[in-house]
Amino acid sequence: MAKSRKKSGFRFSHYFPILDWGRSYTAATAVNDLVAALIVTIMLIPQSLAYAMLAGLPPEAGLYASIVPIMLYSIFGTSRSLAVGPVAVVSLMTAAAIADVTRTLDVGYATAALSLAALSGTILMAMGILRLGFIANFLSHPVISGFITASGVLIAASQLKHVMGIDGGGHNLLEIVSSLVTHVLSANLLTVAIGVTAIGFLFWVRKGLRPALIKIGLRPRVADFLAKAGPVFAVGATTWLVWNFDLNASGVQIVGAVPQSLPPFTWPDLSMDLMSALFMPALLISIIGFVESISVAQTLATKKRQRIDPDQELIGLGAANIGASLTGGFPVTGGFSRSVVNFDAGAETPAAGAFTAIGLTVAALFLTPLIYFLPKATLAATIIVAVLSLVDVQTLKRSWIYSKRDFGAVAVTMLLTLGFGVELGVTAGVVLSILLFLYDTSRPHVAEVGLVEGTEHFRNIRRHAVLTDPTVLSLRIDQSLYFANARFLEDYIYDRVIDNTDLTHVVLMCSAVNEIDLSALETLEMVNTRLKEMGIDLSLSEVKGPVMDRLRRGDLLKHLTGNVYLSQFDAFRALAQPKPPLNKISVVAT
């Protein structure tokens, strides 16, 4: 009974990680979490407002999306450092998805955002319950990097209209640039001055403020805190300028009135028409958000030798998004910049996120009147500086040097994102990742191997000086066999044996084969029959236990013309002819 209770308790805490880290929570840990929360809150206030604007929503939606979702993640999430909330790429995808839906359906913009968050949260929760966290592995890092880089460029370009104080828009880079050029002569010079100054200041804050503060004698920890608060300084200074000199009367666009309130209770529209229209965008947002979040979470967890459970992360992110849909928000995920700040500031548990939510609640209740005169150009500057850090053009160079195929995938993803918008770009990235995987696995590396003289090791005859026998063809299969690559192996074997009249044995070295599905099994049975008709025996070597267990359930072993050998050396020793002498193959390629 005691053992059963222990197992049941473990399962319960597995789905509620707060029960795990909460048991050892101390006052010292709470202090560290509070300090981290203070720094992240200061950083998150302007970011939340800015990302709401990027998503096409009122500024307060950014604050609402950063309160309840963080609290829910702190209960269900497994990362000790991940900071959940609005992020640039997901906000851009939200804007694109909602704009398309509101053009075709009679639904409000804010309502569509709530429904998108609810659907995304439901998808994430379902994936977590079904333990589909492995799905992130199907998205190659170069393709995701290409998509995020292109999205960063799109986001930065889309915010230039606010920096210039002009009308503009578009879903791709060409439309955005064309719109900016069309309206450039109507730019508001005061807005341009505020926006450009804010951009320059924020870039300098990232690199130069901390060293400058340390140089004048401040302690590193204080300098770090002030550097992280750089965006708040920009917000405060530009807001004061607009208020003091009445610049809004001169055409400087401002945020305006923001409600002083707690996140309201909202209910998404769950009508079938809207859910159907939003399903694909929600699925893409869920996958991209999860990939970004899990990448950050695992990177930070590794530094402290902590463990991240991808399946539970899906549940945590799903709960956060459902929470956003019920409290006036929009889709959220784990943000890179704020998570790194949270980690560097000393956050030890997800309670830091809960404290951050409390700080944002205070801001929503008491500080919103202070941002009435906040210029939109400053928020745009905040977004531009944040997203340009996501732009990684080095990915193109690295992929070109390492793999032309990966370079092609990255380039296509970037071009489609820039040329046709984020939805087509991310769809292309997902499809390309899967197609690249299928292409790679459909053409497994098959090496003809020979014996390294004086050893029992077998190596590729094109890379090493080895011994071979003209009557024995030894082929090492370097991948599992399944329906997509079985025909390739079949053709490879036939091409190799068809004109070789000396061959009497073919040995398939299966040391790298972890799986043989039914299609591949049937192909091997056919190969065995065809080789038998040619007077050639088929043997296997180094078959792994689980694979052998599966083979015993079929007919291949019953009709195999050769044998199954424990090692390739055993097979070669049994089948090679002592006369004529073995051929010594020299290296012909490296």
Side-chain angles (χ1 to χ4, degrees):
M1 291 293 290
K3 183 180 291 186
S4 175
R5 284 196 300 271
K6 182 177 181 181
K7 183 176 181 180
S8 176
F10 170 78
R11 293 289 297 170
F12 192 70
S13 64
H14 173 77
Y15 289 105
F16 294 88
I18 189 173
L19 299 177
D20 182 20
W21 57 263
R23 294 190 190 100
S24 58
Y25 202 71
T26 64
T29 304
V31 170
N32 291 333
D33 285 343
L34 281 168
V35 171
L38 177 61
I39 294 174
V40 174
T41 300
I42 291 173
M43 173 188 180
L44 203 53
I45 290 173
Q47 266 197 4
S48 298
L49 301 173
Y51 290 149
M53 185 175 72
L54 176 59
L57 293 163
E60 63 269 18
L63 290 174
Y64 298 158
S66 302
I67 296 176
V68 172
I70 297 178
M71 289 186 169
L72 289 172
Y73 179 82
S74 68
I75 296 173
F76 295 100
T78 60
S79 173
R80 303 284 180 104
S81 305
L82 192 69
V84 172
V87 300
V89 174
V90 170
S91 297
L92 178 65
M93 295 176 69
T94 297
I98 295 175
D100 289 339
V101 168
T102 53
R103 279 198 297 265
T104 57
L105 296 177
D106 184 19
V107 61
Y109 202 94
T111 300
L114 298 176
S115 301
L116 185 62
L119 187 54
S120 178
T122 302
I123 291 172
L124 288 164
M125 288 279 280
M127 290 170 63
I129 293 171
L130 296 174
R131 306 188 68 80
L132 299 180
F134 66 88
I135 201 169
N137 299 332
F138 286 94
L139 299 179
S140 68
H141 176 74
V143 167
I144 292 300
S145 179
F147 167 72
I148 291 177
T149 294
S151 297
V153 173
L154 268 182
I155 292 169
S158 71
Q159 296 307 298
L160 290 177
K161 65 181 181 182
H162 297 295
V163 174
M164 299 168 66
I166 60 176
D167 294 326
H171 292 90
N172 58 62
L173 189 60
L174 182 61
E175 291 178 358
I176 292 171
V177 172
S178 176
S179 177
L180 292 174
V181 171
T182 301
H183 297 89
V184 67
L185 294 180
S186 59
N188 183 284
L189 296 182
L190 287 173
T191 301
V192 172
I194 292 173
V196 171
T197 303
I199 291 172
F201 173 75
L202 291 173
F203 270 121
W204 175 75
V205 162
R206 284 189 165 227
K207 299 293 184 181
L209 181 57
R210 182 179 183 275
L213 293 174
I214 292 176
K215 190 174 182 179
I216 63 175
L218 291 182
R219 294 179 178 178
R221 192 172 181 84
V222 176
D224 281 336
F225 177 82
L226 294 176
K228 297 297 189 303
V232 177
F233 297 149
V235 167
T238 55
T239 301
W240 179 83
L241 282 173
V242 173
W243 169 75
N244 190 60
F245 295 101
D246 197 23
L247 297 183
N248 57 309
S250 300
V252 175
Q253 297 178 358
I254 59 175
V255 169
V258 177
Q260 287 181 265
S261 67
L262 292 171
F265 176 75
T266 53
W267 188 256
D269 183 346
L270 303 179
S271 63
M272 187 58 66
D273 289 343
L274 182 58
M275 291 292 102
S276 299
L278 289 176
F279 179 78
M280 188 54 65
L283 178 62
L284 295 175
I285 287 173
S286 299
I287 293 175
I288 292 299
F290 174 61
V291 170
E292 180 178 353
S293 178
I294 198 70
S295 299
V296 177
Q298 289 178 335
T299 299
L300 297 179
T302 300
K303 295 182 179 181
K304 289 190 175 181
R305 298 188 178 184
Q306 296 168 349
R307 181 178 175 274
I308 298 298
D309 182 348
D311 297 317
Q312 186 60 29
E313 283 298 289
L314 284 166
I315 293 175
L317 292 173
N321 276 278
I322 291 174
S325 73
L326 298 175
T327 54
F330 55 98
V332 298
T333 192
F336 177 78
S337 57
R338 72 174 67 103
S339 296
V340 172
V341 170
N342 196 38
F343 178 87
D344 290 341
E348 294 191 31
T349 72
F355 293 146
T356 299
I358 294 173
L360 291 172
T361 301
V362 172
L365 284 174
F366 303 109
L367 302 183
T368 52
L370 300 179
I371 61 173
Y372 181 91
F373 290 99
L374 172 60
K376 291 185 177 181
T378 302
L379 292 180
T382 302
I383 295 174
I384 290 172
V385 174
V387 300
L388 287 183
S389 65
L390 302 175
V391 176
D392 181 16
V393 294
Q394 289 297 316
T395 297
L396 286 172
K397 180 180 179 181
R398 290 194 301 271
S399 60
W400 174 262
I401 294 172
Y402 188 75
S403 169
K404 300 300 186 292
R405 187 170 66 252
D406 282 341
F407 171 81
V410 173
V412 168
T413 302
M414 292 180 65
L415 290 174
L416 287 177
T417 302
L418 293 173
F420 297 95
V422 291
E423 286 195 12
L424 183 58
V426 70
T427 303
V430 172
V431 172
L432 277 172
S433 294
I434 296 173
L435 289 179
L436 282 174
F437 169 77
L438 291 175
Y439 179 81
D440 287 339
T441 58
S442 69
R443 301 173 61 84
H445 181 260
V446 180
E448 183 174 347
V449 296
L451 178 65
V452 178
E453 191 171 12
T455 73
E456 296 184 5
H457 300 294
F458 285 78
R459 293 292 185 269
N460 193 331
I461 66 171
R462 299 181 62 82
R463 294 179 179 271
H464 301 271
V466 292
L467 299 176
T468 63
D469 184 279
T471 65
V472 180
L473 174 63
S474 299
L475 299 178
R476 189 188 69 221
I477 307 168
D478 291 336
Q479 196 167 289
S480 294
L481 297 176
Y482 73 118
F483 65 91
N485 62 20
R487 183 60 182 270
F488 177 86
L489 176 63
E490 180 183 7
D491 292 341
Y492 186 96
I493 294 173
Y494 292 157
D495 290 343
R496 183 62 183 81
V497 306
I498 196 70
D499 295 321
N500 193 335
T501 57
D502 294 329
L503 276 179
T504 57
H505 298 281
V506 172
V507 183
L508 300 183
M509 184 177 174
C510 302
S511 54
V513 177
N514 297 313
E515 175 77 17
I516 298 178
D517 75 356
L518 185 58
S519 296
L521 176 63
E522 293 174 349
T523 298
L524 290 177
E525 292 171 347
M526 185 180 299
V527 169
N528 181 62
T529 302
R530 295 280 180 85
L531 291 180
K532 181 180 180 181
E533 294 171 353
M534 299 179 191
I536 300 173
D537 291 338
L538 176 65
S539 295
L540 307 177
S541 72
E542 304 189 14
V543 182
K544 294 182 177 180
V547 177
M548 181 61 74
D549 293 339
R550 296 283 292 275
L551 291 179
R552 289 195 180 101
R553 302 174 193 169
D555 294 330
L556 175 65
L557 298 183
K558 299 175 185 177
H559 303 293
L560 192 66
T561 52
N563 296 298
V564 179
Y565 295 94
L566 183 63
S567 69
Q568 182 63 25
F569 182 74
D570 290 342
F572 192 72
R573 184 171 56 183
L575 301 176
Q577 301 296 320
K579 294 179 182 180
L582 299 176
N583 297 327
K584 187 168 185 177
I585 306 295
S586 299
V587 179
V588 297
T590 58

